[in-house]
Amino acid sequence: MQHPALPALRALTARTGGHADLAVPAAGTALCLVTGERLPLHATAAGKVLLAYGHGLPATGVRHTPYTLTAPGPLRAQLARIREGGLAEAHEEYRLGELSLAAPVSRAGITLAAVAVTTGTAAPRDRLAAAVREAAAAISRALDAPPRASARP
């Protein structure tokens, strides 16, 4: 999955100046395919996308910063908004000074991953949101595309 996503991840990084990554569900975490880092599902934008689309159960109660959402009711409401709007946000919920936005990546209509960008909190949210949505759409199209025939010598 990472190979077809690379052009969109590079474009997302270039466009936003942030760190772009692709995350998949793995043992109750969001596994970032670029960095190999495992992120908590409830406190990161990528993790929230995965939760919103049925990948795992939130580990509520674990507070990473003073801004981490830990109450089950508000988290469920946030996940419903993510499903409705197709975009997740985590503003200093995992690390102070970081803003991350993520959108679902699908193949054949099934959400398999989340593409996310992480940057400083001063970054313009609207510009980041548009860039993340475009990257998610590009990766989803690449995953849905028929495989290319291999070149023969």
Side-chain angles (χ1 to χ4, degrees), residues 99-120:
L99 169 65
S100 91
L101 275 74
V105 172
S106 303
R107 183 173 174 187
I110 298 169
T111 298
L112 303 174
V115 63
V117 66
T118 302
T119 187

Side-chain angles (χ1 to χ4, degrees), residues 32-97:
C32 297
L33 298 181
V34 173
T35 63
E37 185 176 10
R38 289 182 181 267
L39 302 174
L41 295 174
H42 72 291
T44 61
K48 289 177 186 185
V49 165
L50 298 175
L51 283 174
Y53 289 91
H55 295 286
L57 299 171
T60 56
V62 179
R63 187 174 296 281
H64 297 276
T65 75
Y67 306 106
T68 306
L69 185 61
T70 58
L75 182 57
R76 279 193 300 274
Q78 189 176 69
L79 297 177
R81 287 191 301 275
I82 292 165
R83 284 189 298 276
E84 183 179 302
L87 188 71
E89 180 177 336
H91 190 270
E92 296 189 290
E93 291 182 55
Y94 183 53
R95 292 186 184 115
L96 293 175

Side-chain angles (χ1 to χ4, degrees), residues 2-13:
Q2 185 177 356
H3 182 69
L6 288 177
L9 291 172
R10 287 183 187 120
L12 182 57
T13 295

Side-chain angles (χ1 to χ4, degrees), residues 132-151:
V132 168
R133 287 178 198 267
E134 289 172 23
I139 296 168
S140 296
R141 281 192 304 273
L143 291 175
D144 280 338
R148 297 167 125 194
S150 60

